[in-house]
Amino acid sequence: MSDILGALVNLDHPGHYISWGWFQMSYGNFAVVVAMVATFLVALVAPFPGRQKEKRS
Amino acid sequence: MSTTIDRQWTTRLRRRLVEQLPPDKALPDTQPSYVSSWIYVFGIVTLSALVMVILTGFVLAIRGPQWWHQSAIGHYVNSLHLWSVEIFFFAMVIHLWGKFFMAAWRGHRSLTWVTGAVTFATSIATAFTGYVSQTNFDSQWISTQAKDGINATGAGAFFNVLNTGQMLMWHIVLLPLAAVVLTAVHVVMVRRKGVVPPFEEVTK
Amino acid sequence: MSRKSFNPDCDVREWTGAQRPYDILKEGAIALLVVALLTAGLALVFGSPDEKQVTIQQWSSADPVDFAATAYSELAGTSGIAGYGAPYNNASDGQFLGVTHLYLAKMVGVHIPIDPARTFVLQPLGTLPDAPTLRFALSTWKNASETQRGAWLDEYAKASLSFSHGHLTAAPLSLSNPVNELIASETAMARSGALDSTMGTGGGLYTTDYTNVLLFIADGGWFATLADHQHLLGDQWGMMNETGSYPGQAWLWLYTFWYQIHPFSTSGNADVDAWGIMMLLTAGLILVPYIPGLRSIPRRTKLYRVIWRDHYAGRV
Ligand code: HEM
């Protein structure tokens, strides 16, 4: 199973789940959603390159 | 002589195309000065991920639907396909949020939004048919679960998620074609209209 | 448009101000490279799940009693599919859509006809060669009246099922009752692997349609136990989940959400209602630019001031 092309991090084991009352989500999905929100926020606030070089026309 | 030429279908189509999408709009070398945020790159990231999804899908298609269960290389190509899909949805959702908060449908751009949102729905359907075409436990479980929802709408009579051959065809022919055509229309609309200007505000 | 009808949520004055150099093709090439590397890296580090398929053979070996009980329920017409309704049969009206009371599936009709006793039990058994006892049991069953069949089924239901030394037995049972022979043969056939191939839809060597096999497996209890271990059940928000610890179809969160809350979590119409709601919401998403109120949210929340902060600061 584990060849050179196999996964370095093995995710083939039973997942872990967050549950708040009736709400449940797998760690895998949770990580993706958190990363998505974080990327969105970073994209909003990170300075975009090249703005200093511009001149008004 | 010009009247005959003028009336040609070919001429008329060319003029129409050039008029609708002149070269400097199709491939502009400048952008308005307000285009200065990382949020603008997520459309092109989504497009890049779509290219990866399709290329990796092509590689999977070469040896057929069962190959990836048997070969380490096949399994890696499957991993590439899965992760490019994850990136595709990841980028598309951020793109959607960004365009929403910019109200990027303003100024006769509503169809750009509409085609984008329809592409989003089409992509979900494409991913779903992929999940049920895996020929493993996951596809067995997902198809037997999903049938109830789809059957309840009446669509199950024709769109049978338990029919693996049918689902594979939808996944590798019909839905990707729809997604690519919709994406092409979407991107052409963006180029035609240019990037939406900011809300007007009294600035200090 | 005239100044009067200018709606800031729909209209703009097109930009005539400054432009700056911007190489979209170079941007695209870099994006493609970054996405390609990221994909290759993620695939290398995390791989992808491939939980092996399950077969009727595995099921009948792992849990022969659950298998036999399921086969019995198909014969007796008490299984999930036996009572399903459209598109498989007319056994029930199925679900109706919310307040409309429209039985959508029933209106479309039966298009994938399935008679569980025949499809899952009698037809496969009929394909077994050289089995005189089974032949006799099949013809006894076929020639019996409905009442007689009911009596046999009742008797079998009251008997206790046990499995040992590769044999399924139901006791006590009268000798004339053919049900035991049918179910025991079906179990033996399943354990040999023959049932997996016999049940493929289309009847022949080639098939690409596994409707019958999958419906049959899903009618049993064993399959759901496996899914439960993988946290894939509907009431576990399973629709979003993947086998193992992989991220799944997280974008289905809103669809699966409806199944978790009242009244849908206890409703017999949850499927069609959740679909109905999702169709409406999807239409809403598509039509945002045309929906007053919704389309004002971006202007009201002012998040755009962050996106275009250089523009508003006059830095451009
Ligand atoms: C296959 C999926 C998609 C692809 C490949 C894609 C690609 C793009 C690209 C390359 C652009 C121009 C660059 C940019 O502003 O980011 C763009 C613009 C836009 N996209 Fe998408 N998009 C997709 C899905 C969506 C979705 C789901 C929505 C929203 C529901 C959407 C709404 C828009 C809008 C409104 C614009 C115009 C932006 C403006 O005028 O400033 N797109 N898209």
Side-chain angles (χ1 to χ4, degrees), chain C residues 236-256:
Chain C
Q236 296 168 321
W237 297 66
M239 212 178 284
M240 289 165 70
N241 294 342
E242 178 56 273
T243 54
S245 301
Y246 293 89
Q249 302 185 71
W251 45 87
L252 295 183
W253 68 274
L254 191 56
Y255 174 45
T256 187

Side-chain angles (χ1 to χ4, degrees), chain B:
Chain B
M1 103 186 162
S2 74
T3 43
T4 342
I5 296 247
D6 278 342
R7 279 201 303 271
Q8 282 195 115
W9 291 7
T10 317
T11 316
R12 277 152 68 181
L13 177 65
R14 189 190 63 227
R15 288 192 182 148
R16 190 78 197 280
L17 286 179
V18 172
E19 186 189 294
Q20 291 288 314
L21 193 66
D24 59 332
K25 273 194 175 180
L27 290 172
D29 42 23
T30 62
Q31 288 293 326
S33 57
Y34 54 79
V35 179
S36 168
S37 166
W38 281 103
I39 207 72
Y40 284 104
V41 308
F42 284 90
I44 199 74
V45 172
T46 312
L47 190 60
S48 304
L50 181 61
V51 170
M52 287 302 293
V53 171
I54 289 173
L55 289 181
T56 53
F58 281 177
V59 180
L60 285 174
I62 292 173
R63 297 289 299 272
Q66 308 261 54
W67 173 56
W68 71 285
H69 299 305
Q70 296 137 14
S71 142
I73 296 174
H75 192 108
Y76 183 65
V77 177
N78 179 74
S79 305
L80 291 175
H81 195 56
L82 171 71
W83 285 103
S84 53
V85 168
E86 290 287 339
I87 296 172
F88 172 69
F89 275 98
F90 192 101
M92 182 163 36
V93 169
I94 295 176
H95 177 63
L96 188 157
W97 290 343
K99 294 306 154 191
F100 178 77
F101 285 109
M102 292 152 96
W105 53 76
R106 290 170 297 138
H108 304 286
R109 288 174 180 79
S110 19
L111 280 182
T112 311
W113 173 274
V114 169
T115 51
V118 174
T119 313
F120 183 53
T122 309
S123 305
I124 289 178
T126 315
F128 169 75
T129 53
Y131 274 92
V132 298
S133 298
Q134 291 178 93
T135 60
N136 62 11
F137 177 76
D138 211 30
S139 57
Q140 288 179 307
W141 179 254
I142 294 175
S143 56
T144 49
Q145 288 296 295
K147 74 171 195 304
D148 297 331
I150 294 169
N151 284 344
T153 65
F158 311 102
F159 188 80
N160 179 5
V161 296
L162 302 170
N163 184 339
T164 313
Q166 185 189 8
M167 288 303 109
L168 186 64
M169 292 299 182
W170 277 84
H171 182 63
I172 68 174
V173 182
L174 302 174
L175 288 170
L177 190 67
V180 167
V181 169
L182 283 164
T183 304
V185 172
H186 180 70
V187 173
V188 165
M189 283 180 166
V190 177
R191 290 277 59 95
R192 239 182 79 190
K193 298 284 179 186
V195 180
V196 75
F199 284 103
E200 284 180 38
E201 286 200 346
V202 196
T203 42
K204 48 216 145 88

